[in-house]
């Protein structure tokens, strides 16, 4: 091997945590390399990680297409639009998804280049002393060295022992984004964010979807008023959500897959065409760390870091899904940027208390801050304001009046402690709440902020008013 080429910063992993770290480090005047080993099914390499290639972006592309199909079938007539017989061209829908992904991942390569980052396809392995061995797709090897290394190797789907992936009948979330035919009967294991989004896509496109969830409660991570509303709407849409259902075995054959599970009534089984396993993701560090780097893992396989994402090894950092905290692209992005700032001697900070969560179903779900259950458990005195989208002129005009905005504020200080939205564009509306809470706004601050009429954002305004029983456009209870 030739002498190690030397960088200020080497980032291993070019997903939403890694590539922003590389770009910000380069913007800070540092010499940076970003190494990524992602391989598409056709063998091509691409930056962007899970998020762009197999997660956030392709899932949203299909959610949008399938929602339009669903609305054309079920809603156009209400608007007075007669479209004739509707047909589904799944191949075209999938081509659109693939085109979006290709455009976005190509865009990352261009952004890295424009920022002056040396982008390298290959697998990176951290060696002691901040050296990095890179194995290129053709098998050739080179050794690089850096003052700082940022590990951003992401996560992979959890596989169930009783349901090993076969890539055809039993698939992970990536496989479920690439079906070339709509299954007649689809079983989704796991009613978490990914399971609900994928279940919604295939239900809207015509599949019978059964969702098996081991927990007794639906969406335990969300405010339970919101979770209850969500369960009601999803069941009305025909998603067959079975709670307390623990999968025990599966048998794939030429007639489909038999899934066995237990629930409160005992042993159950169902016959489906395909199964999507969406029971969570685990940190990915396979092949990443050579002996003697000093980087440590916790008992669940996450790279151990302090509150600034610094590992146990000097000047080795880790960000994104491979470290503790919610597995979300925007969380990883902010960590990557914060680390790049710290390396450059600047200020970097992630406010872990205010990371918004979004579920891109219909109705959409989004929240930030604390749930009512968390406030109760912590003994915090709070007031709650709820405004239904049924009372929003814009939502009615959009034929999207399901759901509500719920705002929780401290009873004595009026500080906003949590905002929970189920309804149209919830993922966009939550941004106002995040900003307000970043500035530690009170409910009164939102009450006194003018919101354009008629907009969906008026529902956030009215929920703030409702917290003081001063809503104008709905009854104050
Ligand atoms: C179906 C689905 C939908 C999702 N939707 C959303 C959403 O709407 N919003 C959201 O916030 N999050 C969403 N997520 C989660 C999101 O994708 C992840 O949180 C995010 O991708 C994590 O970013 P990361 O950079 O830490 O890791 P990753 O995106 O996993 O990227 C890690 C990269 O590092 C590479 N790598 C690993 N090891 C090495 C190595 N040794 N050498 C070189 N390269 C290596 C990998 O190949 C990969 O390219 C979704 C996930 C899935 C599966």
């Amino acid at each position: 091997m030739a002498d190690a080429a030397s960088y200020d910063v080497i980032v291993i992993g070019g997903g939403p945590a890694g590539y922003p770290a590389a770009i910000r480090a380069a913007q800070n005047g540092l010499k940076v390399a970003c190494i990524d080993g992602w391989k598409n099914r056709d063998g091509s390499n691409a930056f962007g990680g899970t998020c762009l290639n197999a997660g956030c972006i392709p899932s949203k592309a299909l959610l949008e297409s399938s929602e339009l199909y669903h609305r054309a079938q079920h809603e156009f007539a209400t608007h007075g639009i007669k479209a004739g017989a509707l047909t589904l061209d799944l191949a075209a829908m999938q081509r659109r998804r693939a085109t979006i992904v290709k455009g976005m991942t190509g865009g990352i390569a261009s952004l890295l280049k424009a920022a002056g980052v040396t982008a390298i396809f290959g697998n990176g392995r951290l060696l002691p002393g901040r050296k990095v061995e890179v194995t290129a797709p053709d098998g050739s090897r080179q050794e690089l060295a850096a003052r700082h290394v940022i590990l951003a190797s992401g996560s992979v789907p959890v596989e169930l022992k009783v349901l090993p992936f076969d890539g055809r009948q039993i698939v992970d979330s990536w496989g479920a984004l690439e079906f070339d035919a709509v299954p007649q009967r689809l079983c989704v294991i796991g009613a978490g964010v990914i399971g609900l989004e994928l279940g919604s896509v295939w239900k809207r496109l015509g599949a019978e979807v059964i969702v098996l969830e081991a927990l007794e409660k639906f969406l335990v991570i969300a405010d339970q008023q919101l979770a209850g509303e969500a369960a009601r709407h999803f069941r009305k849409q025909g998603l067959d959500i079975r709670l307390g259902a623990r999968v025990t075995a599966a048998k794939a054959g030429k007639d489909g897959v038999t899934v066995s599970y237990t629930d409160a009534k005992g042993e159950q089984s169902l016959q489906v065409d395909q199964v999507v396993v969406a029971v969570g993701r685990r940190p990915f560090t396979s092949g990443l760390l050579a002996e003697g780097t000093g980087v440590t893992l916790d008992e669940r396989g996450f790279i151990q870091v302090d509150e600034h994402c610094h590992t146990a090894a000097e000047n080795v950092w880790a960000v994104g899904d491979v470290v503790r905290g919610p597995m979300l692209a925007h969380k990883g992005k902010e960590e990557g940027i914060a680390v790049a700032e710290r390396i450059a001697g600047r200020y970097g900070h992630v406010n872990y208390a205010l990371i918004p969560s979004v579920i891109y179903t219909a109705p959409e779900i989004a929240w930030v801050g604390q749930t009512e259950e968390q406030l109760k458990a912590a003994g915090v005195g709070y007031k709650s304001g709820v405004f239904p989208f049924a009372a929003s002129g814009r939502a009615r005009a959009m034929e999207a009046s399901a759901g509500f905005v719920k705002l929780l504020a401290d009873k004595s200080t009026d500080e906003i402690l949590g905002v929970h939205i189920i309804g149209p564009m919830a993922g966009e509306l939550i941004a106002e709440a995040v900003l307000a809470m970043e500035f530690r706004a009170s409910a009164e601050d939102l009450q006194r902020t003018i919101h354009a009429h008629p907009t969906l954002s008026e529902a956030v305004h009215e929920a703030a008013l409702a917290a003081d029983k001063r809503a104008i456009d709905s009854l104050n209870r």
Side-chain angles (χ1 to χ4, degrees), residues 12-18 35-38 48-51 54-56 59-60 122-124 152-155 173 177 194 197 281 284 288 319-322 327-330 360:
I12 303 181
I35 304 160
D36 194 283
W38 184 273
T50 306
C51 174
C56 324
S59 61
K60 268 78 243 179
N123 282 314
S153 53
S155 62
S173 53
L177 290 166
I194 294 175
E197 290 186 359
R281 298 180 62 83
F284 181 71
L288 179 70
V319 294
D321 280 10
V322 79
M327 287 185 166
L328 292 169
H330 42 285
Y360 296 83

Side-chain angles (χ1 to χ4, degrees), residues 21-282:
I23 290 177
R24 177 52 55 86
Q27 287 170 344
N28 283 338
L30 301 171
K31 186 181 170 197
V32 185
C34 182
I35 304 160
D36 194 283
W38 184 273
K39 248 198 176 47
N40 284 309
R41 301 219 195 274
D42 62 4
S44 62
N45 295 100
F47 281 95
T50 306
C51 174
L52 274 82
N53 289 288
C56 324
I57 303 305
S59 61
K60 268 78 243 179
L62 286 188
L63 279 157
E64 192 64 30
S65 298
S66 59
E67 177 63 3
L68 283 179
Y69 179 66
H70 178 85
R71 294 184 76 176
Q73 275 182 320
H74 300 282
E75 210 180 291
F76 276 19
T78 315
H79 288 271
I81 303 169
K82 289 188 178 156
L86 211 61
T87 53
L88 174 68
D89 183 349
L90 182 60
M93 200 177 272
Q94 291 290 29
R95 276 197 300 280
R96 173 182 176 275
R97 169 196 50 78
T99 305
I100 293 166
V101 167
K102 199 156 189 211
M104 295 291 295
T105 55
I108 304 292
S110 307
L111 289 173
L112 289 170
K113 192 169 171 213
V117 174
T118 303
I120 303 170
F121 285 132
N123 282 314
R125 194 159 88 106
L126 181 69
L127 310 175
R130 292 186 304 279
K131 295 231 166 44
V132 175
E133 180 191 75
V134 186
T135 307
D138 66 6
S140 61
R141 287 189 185 176
Q142 61 170 322
E143 199 172 289
L144 311 176
R147 286 197 301 116
H148 294 265
V149 175
I150 304 175
L151 306 171
S153 53
S155 62
V156 288
V158 168
E159 189 168 18
L160 291 176
K161 266 206 189 95
V162 292
L163 255 123
F165 299 128
D166 66 14
R168 224 167 37 84
Q169 286 173 299
I170 302 171
V171 300
D172 63 12
S173 53
W174 191 8
L177 290 166
E178 300 197 343
F179 286 158
D180 56 11
V182 179
Q184 262 188 1
R185 283 194 105 201
L186 177 68
C187 176
V188 177
I189 317 275
V193 177
I194 294 175
L196 289 172
E197 290 186 359
L198 292 172
S200 295
V201 165
W202 295 108
K203 173 74 199 138
R204 292 167 189 167
L205 296 180
E208 183 189 341
V209 177
I210 302 115
V211 183
L212 301 181
E213 168 57 56
L215 296 178
E216 300 286 344
K217 268 191 176 172
F218 183 61
L219 269 185
V220 278
I221 50 170
D223 183 279
Q224 285 303 291
Q225 187 178 354
L226 193 127
E229 178 82 355
R232 202 169 61 78
H233 284 290
F234 297 154
R235 287 195 166 121
K236 214 164 95 189
Q237 288 163 13
L239 274 184
D240 180 353
I241 301 170
R242 304 183 188 177
L243 299 175
R246 232 165 230 293
V247 177
T248 51
K251 196 163 182 283
K254 64 177 182 348
D255 295 328
V257 188
T258 310
V259 180
S260 307
Y261 64 96
T262 54
D263 64 10
K265 291 189 209 121
E267 298 281 329
Q268 311 279 352
S269 87
L270 55 95
Q271 183 75 19
V272 292
D273 301 307
Q274 278 163 305
V275 179
V276 182
V277 181
V279 293
R281 298 180 62 83
R282 62 176 174 81

